Amino acid sequence: MRRLSLDALPALAQQLRPRVDPGSLTVGIVHLGIGAFHRAHQAVFTEDAVAAAGGPWGICGVTQRGPGVVEQLSPQDGLYTVAARSGGGENLRVVGTVRELRWAQADPEGVSDRIAAPSTHVITLTVTEKGYHHDPATGRLRLQDDDISADLADRGSRTVIGQLAAGLERRRRRTGAPVTVVSCDNLPSNGRLLSGLVHEFAAHLDGGDALLRWIEDRVRFPSTMVDRIVPATTAGDRERVAAALHLADEGVVVTEPFAQWVIEDDFAAPRPAWERAGAILTADVAPYEQIKLRLLNGSHSTIAYLGALAGCELIADAVAPGTPFAPLIRRLMADDVAPTLRVPAGFDLDAYEDEVVERFANPALRYRTLQVASDGSQKLPQRLLATALDRRRTGALPGLAALGVAAWMRFVSVRCSDAGQPLPLDDPLAGVIAERLAAETAPGAVVDRLLALDEIFTPELAADRVWRDLLVERLTMLARDGAAETALRLS
Ligand code: CS2
């Protein structure tokens, strides 16, 4: 079958084609982490922004983990299909904003040149939580991390922090032109966090002082909140799209109709008119970010661990009618999370909570519980632990946030479902967790050993005896009664 490409576009119906002529786009954005989420979210917002208001906003996509995405998209001239699916059907559109692809490990000079180019005004990132190489509990750069220490030693580009430092240094030396670096990952105050990590890295570089002064003067790191559910693409998704387009597309991304982007309006240089594509530009992202990370992502992780333990392959299976998990996350959101939130005027929290459950239940999205369960050490702090800490500081007992954390503890300690099916642990701290647990599964010992992981738990939470006993109680219930029975009892 013919492959999707610029030459093949005329064969597509008009409504399927990019909304902007890809050939008219010069590169103005460098994106680090050109994975499925970026392609379903920022790249789509950018195409709609250019369609509405023009601008030189083609994207140079830089992949991190391997050449896979380059091999998927380069033969397609950067084109790919976004398949937005819901119970009501599927909407397809070919997106054309990605104009260049590079694999950072194979082409560090090319990536630095792009970051330094005068035509580059914005650098965006989606590298997932673990891509920042930081300790979630402290927000500090893990200087002992093998890749970070190697990038420091040889000014390499194994990490996005190394790539940013190398590219910004080249930009400083060549033109000194201002630039804006925009984190689009699920981290609290992601712009401030990223700025701090780049500063820490530069401070450990020989001659890093000049770079630090320049960054202070010419680089901005706005925070954002991003939201769109994007499960991993399957072969079946590619087959379905090929049948619809009559073109083979190796870069298909599958998502939901919903999409939201809230961006701190703090830019050092020009940017796409993302507000013309429906993004919200605001001086204060924090309330939107807190609502999303704690209500949606906190519920997502809770469902992922309880659902995996209960034998549910998909998030949608776990919240299907008749299961105890949907009522449980409604109580988690209402009882534990909502009291910790700063809700913007006019924001309908109840409607948001209803929509979260509806989105999780989308029968057309095959979002696997194990995908959400991955990297828990990097996700739990902002998704459940921040809620727990805020509640404990008021003297409250966050019983359902504790259940979510206890479900993670059971997931990482027992490593199998309640029915005995193996559950793989995909987490950058998997080795540290396994070593700390030393095959221990008794609830009290598991809780004590995991609470001692200061990369994940702040000293205040780790020292809270009431919180510790609540975790032991929840973990004991999960071990004795299983996830479904425990959820039924608590929901
Ligand atoms: C999910 C998120 O995999 C996960 O950890 O919770 O990717 C989630 O789908 C997005 O944040 C939704 O905006």
Side-chain angles (χ1 to χ4, degrees):
M1 178 178 279
R2 190 181 183 188
R3 187 149 180 192
L4 177 61
S5 69
L6 286 173
D7 292 342
L9 284 181
L12 287 178
Q14 185 63 43
Q15 70 271 19
L16 292 173
R17 297 180 201 169
R19 295 173 187 175
V20 172
D21 171 12
S24 70
L25 291 174
T26 55
V27 170
I29 300 170
V30 173
H31 182 78
L32 305 180
I34 186 77
F37 181 79
H38 170 76
R39 300 196 327 259
H41 188 274
Q42 298 102 61
V44 174
F45 274 98
T46 300
E47 181 165 286
D48 291 348
V50 174
W57 302 114
I59 298 167
C60 167
V62 181
T63 185
Q64 301 295 317
R65 282 179 288 212
V69 176
V70 177
E71 292 162 357
Q72 284 174 346
L73 297 187
S74 289
Q76 301 183 178
D77 302 314
L79 300 172
Y80 61 92
T81 308
V82 174
R85 313 192 71 199
S86 68
E90 181 167 54
N91 175 278
L92 301 180
R93 66 178 281 188
V94 173
V95 173
T97 35
V98 176
R99 304 309 321 123
E100 182 180 294
L101 288 128
R102 296 175 183 271
W103 176 26
Q105 316 315 329
D107 184 15
E109 292 304 307
V111 172
S112 290
D113 281 343
R114 266 297 177 201
I115 291 175
S119 57
T120 298
H121 303 294
V122 181
I123 302 161
T124 50
L125 289 80
T126 50
V127 289
T128 78
E129 298 89 344
K130 65 185 173 195
Y132 289 76
H133 297 272
H134 71 303
D135 276 340
T138 63
R140 300 299 303 275
L141 187 63
R142 288 209 306 271
L143 291 167
Q144 297 71 29
D145 174 284
D146 291 345
D147 289 334
I148 289 289
S149 49
D151 276 355
L152 281 171
D154 62 15
R155 291 180 180 263
S157 293
R158 298 168 189 78
T159 66
V160 290
I161 308 297
Q163 291 160 35
L164 281 171
L168 291 175
E169 171 63 6
R170 186 164 297 180
R171 189 176 184 96
R172 180 186 75 82
R173 289 174 183 269
R174 284 188 181 170
T175 66
V179 70
T180 307
V181 182
V182 189
S183 170
C184 297
D185 281 295
N186 287 321
L187 291 164
S189 302
N190 52 19
R192 190 171 69 237
L193 172 71
L194 179 58
S195 172
L197 298 173
V198 171
H199 278 73
E200 270 192 275
F201 187 92
H204 284 80
L205 287 175
D206 293 338
D209 292 348
L211 176 58
L212 278 170
R213 285 194 300 275
W214 178 78
I215 288 173
E216 279 301 309
D217 182 42
R218 312 288 277 175
V219 183
R220 304 303 297 167
F221 292 84
S223 287
T224 69
M225 183 281 278
V226 293
D227 190 0
R228 196 167 206 189
I229 294 177
V230 184
T233 303
T234 67
D237 294 323
R238 283 188 286 272
E239 288 161 14
R240 192 181 62 254
V241 170
L245 299 187
H246 303 295
L247 292 171
D249 175 358
E250 294 303 316
V252 171
V253 291
V254 176
T255 187
E256 59 178 337
F258 180 96
Q260 188 176 35
W261 195 8
V262 180
I263 306 166
E264 182 183 3
D265 195 359
D266 178 18
F267 284 75
R271 62 170 175 80
W274 283 315
E275 65 278 17
R276 298 286 299 276
I280 297 171
L281 273 289
T282 177
D284 187 7
V285 175
Y288 298 93
E289 161 208 292
Q290 197 185 52
I291 287 170
K292 196 270 180 168
L293 287 175
R294 295 188 181 193
L295 279 180
L296 184 143
N297 291 115
S299 299
H300 223 188
S301 289
T302 299
I303 288 285
Y305 297 116
L306 291 171
L309 291 170
C312 298
E313 182 195 1
L314 303 178
I315 293 289
D317 296 340
V319 296
T323 65
F325 301 117
L328 183 93
I329 58 169
R330 286 184 181 278
R331 275 206 55 205
L332 165 66
M333 290 192 278
D335 295 1
D336 287 358
V337 180
T340 71
L341 300 176
R342 183 159 55 96
V343 183
F347 190 97
D348 186 338
L349 206 55
D350 292 336
Y352 183 90
E353 293 171 11
D354 290 342
E355 189 174 46
V356 163
V357 179
E358 283 164 22
R359 291 171 61 197
F360 288 172
N362 184 341
L365 286 192
R366 296 186 56 76
Y367 209 131
R368 298 174 59 247
T369 49
L370 288 180
Q371 179 176 346
V372 181
S374 67
D375 301 341
S377 69
Q378 309 298 302
K379 296 177 180 180
L380 255 60
Q382 56 274 10
R383 296 184 179 201
L384 288 169
L385 302 185
T387 292
L389 184 59
D390 283 354
R391 296 298 283 152
R392 290 296 304 130
R393 284 174 174 169
T394 68
L397 278 179
L400 296 175
L403 178 62
V405 177
W408 170 75
M409 290 183 165
R410 180 143 180 91
F411 181 86
V412 302
S413 57
V414 176
R415 309 285 288 275
C416 70
S417 71
D418 296 336
Q421 291 302 314
L423 293 175
L425 178 56
D426 176 9
D427 191 302
L429 296 187
V432 171
I433 290 167
E435 182 188 351
R436 187 65 60 88
L437 286 172
E440 181 62 72
T441 57
V446 167
V447 169
D448 291 337
R449 293 181 186 196
L450 293 176
L451 279 179
L453 286 172
D454 57 13
E455 300 95 325
I456 303 172
F457 296 91
T458 59
E460 185 178 353
L461 209 48
D464 183 333
R465 193 72 195 173
V466 171
W467 168 245
R468 180 264 179 197
D469 292 347
L470 189 55
L471 286 172
V472 174
E473 178 195 340
R474 293 290 188 255
L475 189 54
T476 302
M477 291 175 75
L478 289 169
R480 184 187 62 226
D481 307 326
E485 179 59 30
T486 300
L488 197 60
R489 193 167 300 166
L490 295 174
S491 57

